[in-house]
PDB file of all heavy atoms in Angstrom:
ATOM      1  N   VAL A 942      -5.992 -18.440   1.471  1.00 89.00           N
ATOM      2  CA  VAL A 942      -7.131 -18.480   2.373  1.00 89.00           C
ATOM      3  C   VAL A 942      -8.091 -17.374   1.955  1.00 89.00           C
ATOM      4  O   VAL A 942      -7.691 -16.229   1.764  1.00 89.00           O
ATOM      5  CB  VAL A 942      -6.706 -18.268   3.838  1.00 89.00           C
ATOM      6  CG1 VAL A 942      -7.928 -18.352   4.750  1.00 89.00           C
ATOM      7  CG2 VAL A 942      -5.663 -19.289   4.237  1.00 89.00           C
ATOM      8  N   ILE A 943      -9.338 -17.751   1.778  1.00 88.00           N
ATOM      9  CA  ILE A 943     -10.323 -16.767   1.355  1.00 88.00           C
ATOM     10  C   ILE A 943     -11.452 -16.737   2.377  1.00 88.00           C
ATOM     11  O   ILE A 943     -11.832 -17.766   2.939  1.00 88.00           O
ATOM     12  CB  ILE A 943     -10.855 -17.107  -0.058  1.00 88.00           C
ATOM     13  CG1 ILE A 943     -11.866 -16.067  -0.535  1.00 88.00           C
ATOM     14  CG2 ILE A 943     -11.420 -18.487  -0.118  1.00 88.00           C
ATOM     15  CD1 ILE A 943     -12.344 -16.297  -1.944  1.00 88.00           C
ATOM     16  N   ASP A 944     -11.926 -15.522   2.664  1.00 83.00           N
ATOM     17  CA  ASP A 944     -13.103 -15.397   3.530  1.00 83.00           C
ATOM     18  C   ASP A 944     -13.873 -14.159   3.129  1.00 83.00           C
ATOM     19  O   ASP A 944     -13.287 -13.126   2.814  1.00 83.00           O
ATOM     20  CB  ASP A 944     -12.683 -15.326   4.992  1.00 83.00           C
ATOM     21  CG  ASP A 944     -13.896 -15.426   5.910  1.00 83.00           C
ATOM     22  OD1 ASP A 944     -14.830 -16.176   5.539  1.00 83.00           O
ATOM     23  OD2 ASP A 944     -13.917 -14.775   6.951  1.00 83.00           O
ATOM     24  N   HIS A 945     -15.182 -14.257   3.161  1.00 84.00           N
ATOM     25  CA  HIS A 945     -16.045 -13.167   2.730  1.00 84.00           C
ATOM     26  C   HIS A 945     -15.601 -12.594   1.395  1.00 84.00           C
ATOM     27  O   HIS A 945     -15.623 -11.400   1.186  1.00 84.00           O
ATOM     28  CB  HIS A 945     -16.090 -12.059   3.793  1.00 84.00           C
ATOM     29  CG  HIS A 945     -16.775 -12.516   5.054  1.00 84.00           C
ATOM     30  ND1 HIS A 945     -16.085 -12.778   6.213  1.00 84.00           N
ATOM     31  CD2 HIS A 945     -18.059 -12.784   5.310  1.00 84.00           C
ATOM     32  CE1 HIS A 945     -16.924 -13.197   7.136  1.00 84.00           C
ATOM     33  NE2 HIS A 945     -18.138 -13.210   6.614  1.00 84.00           N
ATOM     34  N   GLY A 946     -15.169 -13.491   0.503  1.00 88.00           N
ATOM     35  CA  GLY A 946     -14.817 -13.057  -0.834  1.00 88.00           C
ATOM     36  C   GLY A 946     -13.469 -12.384  -0.960  1.00 88.00           C
ATOM     37  O   GLY A 946     -13.092 -11.939  -2.030  1.00 88.00           O
ATOM     38  N   ARG A 947     -12.737 -12.267   0.154  1.00 89.00           N
ATOM     39  CA  ARG A 947     -11.436 -11.604   0.084  1.00 89.00           C
ATOM     40  C   ARG A 947     -10.312 -12.599   0.340  1.00 89.00           C
ATOM     41  O   ARG A 947     -10.458 -13.510   1.150  1.00 89.00           O
ATOM     42  CB  ARG A 947     -11.349 -10.487   1.130  1.00 89.00           C
ATOM     43  CG  ARG A 947     -12.139  -9.274   0.751  1.00 89.00           C
ATOM     44  CD  ARG A 947     -12.165  -8.308   1.915  1.00 89.00           C
ATOM     45  NE  ARG A 947     -12.861  -7.096   1.542  1.00 89.00           N
ATOM     46  CZ  ARG A 947     -12.276  -6.078   0.930  1.00 89.00           C
ATOM     47  NH1 ARG A 947     -10.993  -6.123   0.648  1.00 89.00           N
ATOM     48  NH2 ARG A 947     -12.969  -5.009   0.598  1.00 89.00           N
ATOM     49  N   LEU A 948      -9.183 -12.349  -0.319  1.00 90.00           N
ATOM     50  CA  LEU A 948      -8.022 -13.179  -0.103  1.00 90.00           C
ATOM     51  C   LEU A 948      -7.353 -12.722   1.190  1.00 90.00           C
ATOM     52  O   LEU A 948      -6.926 -11.581   1.309  1.00 90.00           O
ATOM     53  CB  LEU A 948      -7.067 -13.000  -1.288  1.00 90.00           C
ATOM     54  CG  LEU A 948      -6.078 -14.119  -1.556  1.00 90.00           C
ATOM     55  CD1 LEU A 948      -6.801 -15.438  -1.748  1.00 90.00           C
ATOM     56  CD2 LEU A 948      -5.257 -13.792  -2.790  1.00 90.00           C
ATOM     57  N   MET A 949      -7.304 -13.606   2.189  1.00 85.00           N
ATOM     58  CA  MET A 949      -6.758 -13.204   3.478  1.00 85.00           C
ATOM     59  C   MET A 949      -5.302 -13.610   3.633  1.00 85.00           C
ATOM     60  O   MET A 949      -4.563 -13.030   4.415  1.00 85.00           O
ATOM     61  CB  MET A 949      -7.555 -13.840   4.615  1.00 85.00           C
ATOM     62  CG  MET A 949      -9.021 -13.619   4.430  1.00 85.00           C
ATOM     63  SD  MET A 949      -9.926 -13.180   5.886  1.00 85.00           S
ATOM     64  CE  MET A 949      -8.884 -13.463   7.240  1.00 85.00           C
ATOM     65  N   TYR A 950      -4.915 -14.653   2.937  1.00 87.00           N
ATOM     66  CA  TYR A 950      -3.536 -15.103   3.031  1.00 87.00           C
ATOM     67  C   TYR A 950      -3.147 -15.791   1.735  1.00 87.00           C
ATOM     68  O   TYR A 950      -3.945 -16.504   1.148  1.00 87.00           O
ATOM     69  CB  TYR A 950      -3.359 -16.071   4.206  1.00 87.00           C
ATOM     70  CG  TYR A 950      -1.964 -16.649   4.286  1.00 87.00           C
ATOM     71  CD1 TYR A 950      -0.926 -15.922   4.856  1.00 87.00           C
ATOM     72  CD2 TYR A 950      -1.682 -17.902   3.744  1.00 87.00           C
ATOM     73  CE1 TYR A 950       0.359 -16.438   4.899  1.00 87.00           C
ATOM     74  CE2 TYR A 950      -0.398 -18.426   3.784  1.00 87.00           C
ATOM     75  CZ  TYR A 950       0.621 -17.696   4.361  1.00 87.00           C
ATOM     76  OH  TYR A 950       1.891 -18.190   4.393  1.00 87.00           O
ATOM     77  N   ASP A 951      -1.931 -15.560   1.278  1.00 91.00           N
ATOM     78  CA  ASP A 951      -1.440 -16.223   0.077  1.00 91.00           C
ATOM     79  C   ASP A 951       0.048 -16.447   0.282  1.00 91.00           C
ATOM     80  O   ASP A 951       0.832 -15.502   0.323  1.00 91.00           O
ATOM     81  CB  ASP A 951      -1.690 -15.323  -1.148  1.00 91.00           C
ATOM     82  CG  ASP A 951      -1.209 -15.982  -2.440  1.00 91.00           C
ATOM     83  OD1 ASP A 951      -0.647 -17.091  -2.368  1.00 91.00           O
ATOM     84  OD2 ASP A 951      -1.403 -15.395  -3.510  1.00 91.00           O
ATOM     85  N   GLY A 952       0.437 -17.685   0.486  1.00 89.00           N
ATOM     86  CA  GLY A 952       1.855 -17.951   0.708  1.00 89.00           C
ATOM     87  C   GLY A 952       2.069 -19.399   1.104  1.00 89.00           C
ATOM     88  O   GLY A 952       1.163 -20.213   1.018  1.00 89.00           O
ATOM     89  N   PRO A 953       3.283 -19.708   1.551  1.00 87.00           N
ATOM     90  CA  PRO A 953       3.563 -21.098   1.938  1.00 87.00           C
ATOM     91  C   PRO A 953       2.774 -21.491   3.186  1.00 87.00           C
ATOM     92  O   PRO A 953       2.407 -20.626   3.992  1.00 87.00           O
ATOM     93  CB  PRO A 953       5.071 -21.111   2.193  1.00 87.00           C
ATOM     94  CG  PRO A 953       5.432 -19.689   2.456  1.00 87.00           C
ATOM     95  CD  PRO A 953       4.473 -18.858   1.675  1.00 87.00           C
ATOM     96  N   LEU A 954       2.578 -22.773   3.328  1.00 80.00           N
ATOM     97  CA  LEU A 954       1.802 -23.277   4.457  1.00 80.00           C
ATOM     98  C   LEU A 954       2.423 -22.856   5.788  1.00 80.00           C
ATOM     99  O   LEU A 954       1.729 -22.453   6.712  1.00 80.00           O
ATOM    100  CB  LEU A 954       1.730 -24.805   4.362  1.00 80.00           C
ATOM    101  CG  LEU A 954       0.894 -25.513   5.402  1.00 80.00           C
ATOM    102  CD1 LEU A 954      -0.546 -25.048   5.320  1.00 80.00           C
ATOM    103  CD2 LEU A 954       0.977 -27.017   5.210  1.00 80.00           C
ATOM    104  N   ALA A 955       3.767 -22.937   5.852  1.00 76.00           N
ATOM    105  CA  ALA A 955       4.461 -22.622   7.107  1.00 76.00           C
ATOM    106  C   ALA A 955       4.171 -21.187   7.545  1.00 76.00           C
ATOM    107  O   ALA A 955       4.004 -20.912   8.725  1.00 76.00           O
ATOM    108  CB  ALA A 955       5.960 -22.825   6.932  1.00 76.00           C
ATOM    109  N   GLY A 956       4.094 -20.291   6.586  1.00 77.00           N
ATOM    110  CA  GLY A 956       3.868 -18.891   6.896  1.00 77.00           C
ATOM    111  C   GLY A 956       2.528 -18.635   7.539  1.00 77.00           C
ATOM    112  O   GLY A 956       2.327 -17.644   8.236  1.00 77.00           O
TER     113      GLY A 956
END
Side-chain angles (χ1 to χ4, degrees):
Chain A
V942 181
I943 181 176
D944 189 35
H945 293 107
R947 285 172 177 275
L948 203 56
M949 310 222 348
Y950 176 81
D951 181 357
L954 184 60

